[in-house]
C-alpha cells in the first residue's frame, strides 16, 4: 500500500491522473515467516536477521527483494515463543473459549524500513497475495513487536495516520523511556520496563560502588539517546561525573570506533556504561579486542547484558566482570520441547528453519536451499554438533526477552477475553464500561503481570554479573534482583560474594571492586578544590588553613574552629588554644634565678656594709642612704618575681605599681646621695651653708616626697583604670596570650616617665659633681650607673613595644633586672672591692686623697 502511495507521489501530474485510473494493486510481495489463521490475528515482528543490505532507493525501477544477513537464532526463539503462546491459548478452554487466535510473523531484519514494510504487510489482511485489492484490514488485533526502540517508534508512527484504533503494539524489548509518551504513542504497550527505571538502577549501582568517574558509550538510536539523557538526569547532583560520552555511529566504521577506543583508553575513567545492542556492539567489541583493550569495568545495559554472543572465552579479558541490569527472567513451560520440535523435516518449505539449521549446525538441510547470506553450506549429514555460540538457543532455563514475548501474547489474549466476556454497562472499568484495554492483569507461570497507566510493565530487573565459567567462557550470573523502587539485592546487602570483577592486572577475577574516580578522595584535614574547567569529580586536595579543620573525607569546605580553639597540626580537629604567659618554664626559671641571685647579692652587699659600717669607706659615703639604696634594690630584684606566673587581677595591679614605686625609691635615694655629695663639696667653700639643709631628716623628706609622687600616680592609676589580665587572641591566632593590660597607657608611660625624670635629674647632678676632688668621689659612679640605667630603659621601650606574647613580659623583667644589676654593680662593686680586697686603702687619708 505504501509503496503505491510513494510511487504515486513521485509521478508528474498528468501521469498521476492516468495512474489513478489504475486499480490499486500490490507491487511487491512480502511473505510472513510463519502464519496461521484465526478469528483474531496477532502480528509479530522480530529481527530474525542482524542486518540487511541497504536497499536501492533509486525509485526509478522496481526494487528487488530485501536481502537480510546474519540469521539470529535468539530472535527466532522469540518468534517461536509467540507461536507457542498462541497455540497454547488456542488449546485452552478457559481463555477465549470458542475463538481462535491466528498469527503472522515477519522478519524486520533489524532495520526500521523493513520493519515498516512488515507492519504494513501485517495490516494488509490475511495474505498480501490473497488480497491484492488492499480492500481492508484483516481481523488484526495487535502486533507483538518490535525489538529495538527505534523500530518500535517507526511502527507506532505508521499506525497512527491509518487511524486503526484497535491495533495496539506490544513490544517485548523496546525499553526507551520516550515510548511512555501516551500522546505520541497512544497504542504502544510493552512487557519490558521503561529505561527510566533502568537508568535509576544504574545510577544507584555507580553510587554504590563509588564509581564516580565513568564514561558512557551509546549507539546512535533512540534507545541510546534517551538512556544517556536519563542517566545524565539521574546523575545530576550526585557525586558521579561523566568523563566522556561517545556514540558508535549507525553505519559502523572502524575509524570512528578506534577514536572511541582511544578515548576509553586515555581516560582515567575505568568504568564504562554502554547503552547499545548486539548490532553495533559486535563489531565494536571485536575492534576493542584487536586493540587489546583491557582493564575496563563495563556496565552493560539490559540490551546486551544477557547477550550470549559475547560469552565466548576469547571475550573474557575484555568483558569479564561486566555488570548490569537484565530483564527479569521467567519460565515458559514446554518451551524447550517446543524448540526441539522445530526442524527442517517439520517445516520443509520454511526458509527460516533452513537458515536456523545453517546457523546452529553449519550445514544446509536440503541440497537446493542456500542460506540467504549467499555462501553455500555443506549438506547436512546428521553428524553435526551444535555450534557453541548458539548453544544458548536451546537453553531455556532462563528466558528473559522470550518470556516478554510470551507475556505479550497472553496480555493480548486476556484483554480480548475481557472484552469478549464483558457485558456493556457491567464492565470492570470506570462507569462500568468495557473499553479500557490497558487494564490487563493476569498471572502466568506464577508471575502477576500488570501494566501501569502508561502501558508500561512494572519494573523488575535481575543484576547480572559476567563471571568466569568452568570452561573459561563467561557465565552470566544472577547476582541480585531489583524490583520496582525497592532494591532487594543480594549485592546491596554488602555481600559481594556473589560478584566478581576483573582485577587491575588483567584477567584475574577477584572480589575487589575496581576503582574509577577522577581524583582520589581527600583525607580529613584537606578540602576539595575543583579544577578550573573540569567536572566536579576532578579536584585537588588542599590542606585546610590553620585555624580551620575538616574531619571528614572529601570535605567541600574547612570549618573554622570556635573562638578559643585552634586547628591541630593535621587540620583534623579543633583543640583548645595554648594559653601562653611567662610561667615557670625555662625562661621563667632563669629569670627567677637571676632575680633571686640579684636579691641575694644585694643582701650580701648589705651585710658586708653592715659589718663594715664603721670603716671609712662606708661612713664617708653616707651609710644611711647606702642602706636605703640596697634595701630598695633588693625590692627591685624581688618585684621582678611578680611578673612571672599566670597574670591575675591582683598580680597585674601589683606588677607595675610595686615596680615603679621601688624604682622611684631607689632612684630617689641615689638622687639624695648625689645631692649630699654635691652639697658636701660645695659646703667646703666658705659662706656656704647648704649642708644645713641636707641633714638626714631633710634627706629622708626628699626621698620620701619623691617616692610619694610616684605613689600618688600609682594610686590614681589603680583607681581610675587599673591594669587587668587580658586574653590576647589577636596577636597570634594559634595561641591565647595571657597578659596584663596596663589599663591606662597614659598612666603607664607617666610612671615610666617619672622614673626617667628622676634618673635624668640624678644623672645631670651627678655629672656636675663627677669632677669634684677626692679619691673616692661617688658621683663618678652614680653618673655611670645612671647612664647604664637610662640606656637600659631607653632600649626597653622599642623592645617592649615590638616583642610578642610572653616576651613582652620577659623584656620588662629583663629591663628591671639589668637596670638593678647596673645600679648594684656601679654603685657598690668598687666599694666592696676596697672593703673586702683592699682593706689597706680603706683609710680616711687614702679616701680623702691626702
Ligand atoms: N532495549 C533496547 C531498545 O529498546 C533493546 C534493543 C533491541 C536494541 N534491539 C536493539 C537497542 C537494537 C539498539 C539497537 O531499543
Amino acid at each position: 500500500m505504501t509503496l503505491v502511495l510513494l510511487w504515486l507521489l513521485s509521478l508528474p501530474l498528468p501521469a498521476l491522473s492516468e495512474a489513478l485510473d489504475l486499480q490499486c494493486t500490490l507491487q511487491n510481495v512480502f511473505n510472513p515467516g510463519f502464519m496461521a489463521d484465526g478469528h483474531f490475528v496477532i502480528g509479530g515482528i522480530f529481527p530474525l536477521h542482524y542486518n540487511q543490505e541497504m536497499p536501492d532507493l533509486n525509485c526509478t525501477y522496481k526494487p528487488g527483494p530485501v536481502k537480510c544477513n546474519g540469521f539470529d537464532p535468539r530472535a527466532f526463539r522469540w518468534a517461536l515463543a509467540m507461536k507457542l503462546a498462541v497455540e497454547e491459548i488456542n488449546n485452552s478452554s478457559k481463555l477465549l473459549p470458542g475463538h481462535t487466535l491466528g498469527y503472522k510473523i515477519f522478519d524486520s531484519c533489524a532495520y526500521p524500513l523493513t520493519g515498516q514494510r512488515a507492519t504494513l504487510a501485517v495490516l494488509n489482511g490475511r495474505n498480501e497475495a490473497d488480497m491484492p485489492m488492499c480492500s481492508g484490514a484483516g481481523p488484526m488485533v495487535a502486533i507483538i513487536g518490535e525489538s529495538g526502540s527505534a523500530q518500535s517508534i517507526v511502527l507506532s508512527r505508521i499506525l497512527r495516520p491509518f487511524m486503526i484504533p484497535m491495533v495496539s503494539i506490544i513490544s517485548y524489548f523496546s525499553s526507551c523511556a520516550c515510548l511512555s509518551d501516551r500522546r505520541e504513542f497512544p497504542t504502544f504497550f510493552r512487557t519490558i520496563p521503561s529505561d527510566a527505571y533502568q537508568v535509576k538502577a544504574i545510577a544507584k549501582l555507580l553510587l554504590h560502588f563509588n564509581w564516580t568517574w565513568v564514561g558512557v558509550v551509546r549507539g546512535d538510536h533512540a534507545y541510546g539517546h534517551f538512556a544517556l539523557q536519563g542517566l545524565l538526569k539521574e546523575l545530576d547532583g550526585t557525586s558521579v561525573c561523566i568523563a566522556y560520552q561517545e556514540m558508535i555511529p549507525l553505519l559502523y566504521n572502524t575509524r570512528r570506533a578506534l577514536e572511541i577506543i582511544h578515548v576509553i583508553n586515555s581516560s582515567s575513567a575505568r568504568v564504562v556504561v554502554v547503552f547499545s545492542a548486539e548490532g553495533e556492539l559486535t563489531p565494536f567489541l571485536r575492534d576493542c579486542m584487536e586493540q587489546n583493550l583491557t582493564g575496563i569495568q563495563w556496565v552493560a545495559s539490559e540490551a546486551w547484558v544477557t547477550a550470549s554472543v559475547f560469552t565466548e572465552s576469547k571475550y573474557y579479558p575484555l568483558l569479564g566482570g561486566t555488570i548490569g541490569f537484565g530483564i527479569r527472567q521467567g519460565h515458559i513451560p514446554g518451551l524447550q520441547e517446543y524448540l526441539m520440535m522445530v526442524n527442517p523435516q517439520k517445516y520443509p518449505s520454511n526458509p527460516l528453519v533452513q537458515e536456523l539449521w545453517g546457523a546452529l549446525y553449519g550445514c544446509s538441510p536440503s541440497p537446493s536451499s542456500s542460506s540467504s547470506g549467499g555462501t553455500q553450506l555443506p549438506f547436512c549429514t546428521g553428524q553435526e554438533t551444535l555450534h557453541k555460540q548458539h548453544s544458548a538457543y536451546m537453553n531455556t532455563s532462563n528466558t528473559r526477552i522470550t518470556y516478554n514475548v510470551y507475556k505479550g501474547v497472553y496480555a493480548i489474549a486476556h484483554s480480548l477475553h475481557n472484552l469478549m466476556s464483558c457485558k456493556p454497562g457491567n464492565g470492570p472499568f470506570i462507569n462500568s464500561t468495557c473499553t479500557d484495554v490497558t487494564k490487563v492483569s493476569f498471572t502466568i507461570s506464577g508471575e502477576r503481570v500488570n501494566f501501569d497507566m502508561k502501558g508500561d510493565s512494572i519494573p523488575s530487573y535481575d543484576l547480572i554479573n559476567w563471571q568466569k565459567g568452568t570452561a573459561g567462557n563467561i557465565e552470566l550470573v544472577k547476582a541480585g534482583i531489583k524490583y520496582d523502587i525497592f532494591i532487594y539485592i543480594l549485592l546491596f546487602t554488602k555481600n559481594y560474594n556473589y560478584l566478581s570483577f576483573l582485577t587491575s592486572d588483567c584477567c584475574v577475577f577477584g572480589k575487589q571492586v575496581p576503582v574509577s574516580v577522577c581524583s582520589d578522595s581527600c583525607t580529613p584535614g584537606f578540602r576539595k578544590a575543583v579544577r578550573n574547567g573540569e567536572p566536579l569529580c576532578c579536584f585537588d586536595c588542599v590542606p585546610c588553613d590553620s585555624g580551620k579543620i575538616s574531619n571528614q573525607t572529601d570535605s567541600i569546605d574547612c570549618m573554622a574552629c570556635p573562638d578559643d580553639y585552634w586547628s591541630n597540626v593535621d587540620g583534623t580537629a579543633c583543640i583548645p588554644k595554648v594559653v601562653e604567659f611567662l610561667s615557670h618554664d625555662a625562661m621563667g626559671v632563669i629569670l627567677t634565678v637571676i632575680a633571686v641571685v640579684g636579691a641575694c647579692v644585694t643582701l650580701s652587699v648589705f651585710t658586708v656594709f653592715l659589718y663594715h659600717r664603721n670603716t671609712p669607706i662606708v661612713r664617708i659615703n653616707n651609710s644611711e642612704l647606702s642602706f636605703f639604696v640596697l634595701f630598695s634594690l633588693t625590692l627591685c630584684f624581688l618585684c621582678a618575681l611578680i611578673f612571672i606566673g599566670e597574670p591575675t587581677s591582683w598580680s597585674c595591679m601589683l606588677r607595675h605599681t610595686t615596680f615603679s614605686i621601688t624604682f622611684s625609691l631607689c632612684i630617689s635615694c641615689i638622687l639624695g646621695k648625689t645631692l649630699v655629695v654635691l652639697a658636701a663639696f660645695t659646703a667646703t667653700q666658705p659662706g656656704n651653708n647648704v649642708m644645713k639643709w641636707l641633714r638626714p631628716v631633710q634627706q629622708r623628706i626628699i626621698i620620701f616626697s619623691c617616692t610619694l609622687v610616684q605613689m600618688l600616680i600609682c594610686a590614681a592609676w589603680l583607681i581610675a583604670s587599673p591594669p587587668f589580665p587580658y586574653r590576647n587572641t589577636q596577636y597570634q591566632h594559634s595561641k591565647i596570650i595571657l597578659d596584663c593590660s596596663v589599663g591606662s597607657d597614659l598612666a603607664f608611660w607617666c610612671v615610666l616617665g617619672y622614673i626617667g625624670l628622676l634618673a635624668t635629674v640624678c644623672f645631670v647632678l651627678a655629672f656636675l659633681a663627677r669632677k669634684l676632688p677626692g679619691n673616692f668621689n661617688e658621683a663618678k659612679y652614680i653618673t655611670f650607673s645612671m647612664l647604664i640605667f637610662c640606656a637600659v630603659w631607653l632600649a626597653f621601650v622599642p623592645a617592649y613595644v615590638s616583642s610578642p606574647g610572653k616576651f613582652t613580659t620577659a623584656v620588662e623583667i629583663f629591663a628591671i633586672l639589668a637596670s638593678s644589676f647596673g645600679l648594684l654593680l656601679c654603685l657598690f662593686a668598687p666599694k666592696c672591692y676596697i672593703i673586702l680586697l683592699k682593706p689597706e686603702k680603706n683609710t680616711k687619708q687614702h679616701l680623702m686623697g691626702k
Side-chain angles (χ1 to χ4, degrees), residues 47 74 78 110 146-152 171-177 179 190 192-193 195 198 219-224 250 275-280 301-304 327 401:
R74 187 177 175 219
W78 301 341
E146 230 292 45
S147 118
S149 298
Q151 288 98 298
S152 290
S171 175
Y172 45 88
F173 208 0
S174 300
S175 55
C176 179
L179 284 163
R190 53 187 161 190
I192 187 172
D195 279 339
Q198 188 187 180
D220 184 8
H221 34 60
Y223 167 68
L250 201 54
F275 292 110
S276 177
E278 281 146 280
E280 65 266 0
S301 67
E302 104 295 338
W304 67 282
I327 300 308
I401 306 304

Side-chain angles (χ1 to χ4, degrees), residues 416-429 432-435:
L416 274 178
H417 184 89
N418 288 351
L419 276 181
M420 310 291 293
S421 56
C422 174
K423 308 225 160 34
N426 216 356
F429 310 116
S432 303
T433 55
C434 291
T435 44

Side-chain angles (χ1 to χ4, degrees), residues 47-51 70-76 78 110 147-148 151 172-173 219 221 223 248-250 252 274-286 300-311 315 319 389-390 392 401 466 476:
L48 298 177
H49 289 85
Y50 286 120
N51 58 25
F71 184 78
D72 184 359
R74 187 177 175 219
F76 189 74
W78 301 341
S147 118
Q151 288 98 298
Y172 45 88
F173 208 0
H221 34 60
Y223 167 68
I248 306 173
L250 201 54
Y252 188 84
V274 183
F275 292 110
S276 177
E278 281 146 280
E280 65 266 0
L281 259 192
T282 317
F284 179 70
L285 291 179
R286 194 189 52 225
S301 67
E302 104 295 338
W304 67 282
V305 74
T306 50
S308 46
V309 218
F310 306 122
T311 55
Y315 282 113
L319 297 176
Q389 75 262 40
H390 295 306
I401 306 304
W466 293 21
L476 308 188

